[in-house]
Amino acid sequence: MSHSLPLTIPDFASLPPVFYAATQPTPLQQPHWLAVNRPLATELGLPAHWQTEANLLALSGSLATYPHSPLATVYSGHQFGVYVPQLGDGRALLLGQSTSPDGRRWEWQLKGAGKTPFSRFADGRAVLRSSIREYLGCEALHGLGIATTRALALIGSPDPVYREQPETAAVLTRLAPSFIRFGHFEYFYHRGDHHAVRTLADFVIRHHYPHCADAAQPYLALFAAISHASAELVADWQSVGFTHGVLNSDNMSILGLTIDYGPFGFIDGFSHHHTPNHSDSHGRYAYRQQPYIVQWNLSCLGSALLPLAAEADLVAVLDQFVTHYETAWLTRMRAKLGLLQTRDGDRELIEALLDLMQQERIDFTLLFRHLADVLSDEPALPPMLASLWPYPPLFERWLARYRQRLRAEHSDDAARRTRMNRTNPLYVLRNHLLEQAIAAARDQGDITLIERLRQRMAQPFEHSDTDADLAALPPAWAADICLSCSS
């Protein structure tokens, strides 16, 4: 049996075999479709009836033979600040590559398809719980306009997988223009294989940053491009209250994509120190720390590029990250406040609001969404905003400053409200919603909420009367949700 997926040998296979290992997936028993992202399938140019038995087997890692062998790639990385010499695709396989009708190239990975040479002591599997989280997490960030890997299909199986307790297996089909990470460069640099570092850098420039080839120093230009993409990405995260949870250098994409959805979370009651990962007891990857950690990870990548560029030049690029990030963050936060002009004091106004939100643990998403209801010449507090504050006078003092700022640029209330509602989402993928979707799928085999969430998160800025519950404040029990890296 052969599949009909439009896959060719991936460009990555043109690299020398030192970069990967040809690996056959481990078949699942009784695989079945759990969820399919039909809009993405259309985007990829797949035919209407592509969900065949052969394609199900192909995407579950269960075909007897594949037209060309899937690949597991090798990389290393800094995990919680400690260098680990060899990691790699321990449960992910590069299945192939396709070109969508708009000309974009997509790599297809199977996540959870069994052991690879880089699994170390793990089983190479992914559990249903974490696979649902990543399937929905990818698409939620995409709906927000944030660079991310994508999720095409989720396949389940009754096969047992053992983590903290027995769970069932799942395989996620995820896509990206490239899955190359900072850690791919780190691996070869720390092994002293500088020729491989150059080979990989040339490959990345050729396929993903072709403009760098014409630069006076192509490898320095590559580092600058990756740094800029990373600054834009983390500014996006901060602007929507998204916390990745495990920002190890091996979880950083050279394309500035959000990758590897483990214990991620959107902030409910705001805190600069929010971390969704119960393993992160020291808050290394907390919300406020993310820009600093991204720059730290870039320093690890810069070190790996030392054979290709002068250290002083790499450091100069790294130093520019702060300016790139702060410019991107301020641009996004001004937009969240509906401000069109740049004025002195804007940073202080924004930071004062965030500090006040932390003091009262105000819901991040709903605060910014309902801030659009403020009128520049009307002192009354809009009802939805008032309902968020235990003690409104604290907020009203800040609101007076905000109204003064609006009047200073002659803000049109109606136009500003429209802009802000296109910038501040009403719906985000809160962890309690994920928990409910996981429980329904696991305990009742009910995938209705998975599809409902995917559809709603594809349009996070559009109000829907039928989805009011998805925009509500989280229930009290949501505060006890504790996430781990196990998947």
Side-chain angles (χ1 to χ4, degrees), residues 30-309:
Q30 303 175 45
H32 56 275
W33 301 104
L34 274 176
V36 172
N37 187 347
R38 288 179 176 81
L40 178 57
T42 300
E43 202 176 317
L44 295 169
L46 300 183
H49 303 292
W50 70 276
Q51 288 177 247
T52 64
E53 181 68 17
N55 289 345
L56 171 65
L57 294 177
L59 296 184
S60 65
S62 304
L63 277 183
T65 58
Y66 284 81
H68 44 266
S69 180
L71 306 178
T73 70
V74 63
Y75 51 84
S76 62
H78 285 79
Q79 299 194 324
F80 286 88
V82 177
Y83 183 67
V84 181
Q86 181 171 304
L87 297 165
D89 293 327
R91 58 180 170 194
L93 287 172
L94 179 55
L95 190 61
Q97 179 177 295
S98 71
T99 302
S100 56
D102 61 4
R104 285 183 294 171
R105 288 179 298 181
W106 294 94
E107 291 184 349
W108 296 43
Q109 264 195 358
L110 302 184
K111 186 171 182 179
K115 288 180 70 69
T116 79
F118 312 117
S119 297
R120 295 182 288 177
F121 302 107
D123 56 18
R125 289 298 190 196
V127 299
L128 177 62
R129 160 181 49 89
S130 65
S131 300
I132 291 173
R133 286 180 57 82
E134 181 158 355
Y135 175 81
L136 290 173
C138 290
E139 295 310 302
L141 259 67
H142 177 71
L144 291 167
I146 298 176
T148 176
T149 56
R150 301 294 303 279
L152 175 63
L154 183 59
I155 294 171
S157 166
D159 285 5
V161 179
Y162 299 93
R163 295 295 183 262
E164 289 89 350
Q165 59 187 7
E167 302 184 55
T168 56
V171 175
L172 176 73
T173 305
R174 64 180 185 179
L175 283 72
S178 174
F179 287 95
I180 296 176
R181 307 148 182 270
F182 290 10
H184 282 93
F185 286 93
E186 291 183 271
Y187 175 78
F188 291 102
Y189 170 73
H190 287 285
R191 289 171 64 90
D193 191 345
H194 296 171
H195 175 71
V197 173
R198 184 181 298 273
T199 298
L200 184 59
D202 288 340
F203 176 88
V204 171
I205 290 173
R206 184 166 61 253
H207 291 284
H208 303 291
Y209 291 102
H211 66 278
C212 293
D214 298 326
Q217 299 184 66
Y219 304 118
L220 189 64
L222 173 64
F223 184 51
I226 295 172
S227 177
H228 189 269
S230 301
E232 294 286 320
L233 177 65
V234 70
D236 277 336
W237 289 348
Q238 301 300 99
S239 73
V240 297
F242 175 83
T243 308
H244 183 281
V246 196
L247 273 182
N248 298 325
S249 64
D250 56 290
N251 291 339
M252 292 288 298
S253 158
I254 54 95
L255 299 183
L257 305 175
T258 312
I259 191 171
D260 287 345
Y261 288 76
F264 70 88
F266 287 87
I267 298 175
D268 295 327
F270 181 71
S271 170
H272 289 294
H273 311 295
H274 172 76
T275 175
N277 183 355
H278 79 76
S279 302
D280 189 10
S281 57
H282 297 291
R284 176 181 175 84
Y285 299 140
Y287 170 78
R288 171 173 267 174
Q289 295 300 111
Q290 289 187 130
Y292 305 102
I293 289 298
V294 168
Q295 187 184 31
W296 191 91
N297 287 335
L298 282 163
S299 74
C300 297
L301 175 63
S303 294
L305 296 177
L306 281 170
L308 310 180

Side-chain angles (χ1 to χ4, degrees), residues 230-413:
S230 301
E232 294 286 320
L233 177 65
V234 70
D236 277 336
W237 289 348
Q238 301 300 99
S239 73
V240 297
F242 175 83
T243 308
H244 183 281
V246 196
L247 273 182
N248 298 325
S249 64
D250 56 290
N251 291 339
M252 292 288 298
S253 158
I254 54 95
L255 299 183
L257 305 175
T258 312
I259 191 171
D260 287 345
Y261 288 76
F264 70 88
F266 287 87
I267 298 175
D268 295 327
F270 181 71
S271 170
H272 289 294
H273 311 295
H274 172 76
T275 175
N277 183 355
H278 79 76
S279 302
D280 189 10
S281 57
H282 297 291
R284 176 181 175 84
Y285 299 140
Y287 170 78
R288 171 173 267 174
Q289 295 300 111
Q290 289 187 130
Y292 305 102
I293 289 298
V294 168
Q295 187 184 31
W296 191 91
N297 287 335
L298 282 163
S299 74
C300 297
L301 175 63
S303 294
L305 296 177
L306 281 170
L308 310 180
E311 181 175 4
D313 292 336
L314 290 165
V315 170
V317 168
L318 189 63
D319 288 344
Q320 292 169 9
F321 172 86
V322 175
T323 300
H324 287 157
Y325 166 73
E326 290 186 349
T327 300
W329 179 78
L330 273 171
T331 297
R332 286 156 177 76
M333 297 307 292
R334 284 192 182 99
K336 290 179 76 66
L337 295 183
L339 304 176
L340 293 175
Q341 300 175 2
T342 298
R343 295 191 174 225
D344 292 340
D346 285 351
R347 172 183 286 279
E348 290 75 13
L349 181 69
I350 295 163
E351 290 180 342
L353 176 60
L354 293 175
D355 289 344
L356 195 57
M357 289 167 62
Q358 171 166 293
Q359 181 178 334
E360 298 294 325
R361 292 294 192 268
I362 303 302
D363 189 85
F364 185 95
T365 300
L366 295 182
L367 182 283
F368 281 103
R369 177 70 179 197
H370 295 307
L371 202 60
D373 298 333
V374 169
L375 300 178
S376 55
D377 291 315
E378 172 56 59
L381 188 62
M384 291 301 296
L385 274 180
S387 69
L388 296 175
W389 291 87
Y391 185 62
L394 288 174
F395 177 57
E396 288 172 340
R397 286 195 286 271
W398 178 88
L399 209 54
R401 294 174 57 190
Y402 176 53
R403 287 193 175 100
Q404 183 179 20
R405 175 66 178 82
L406 294 176
R407 291 192 294 271
E409 64 174 53
H410 307 289
S411 178
D412 178 276
D413 289 334

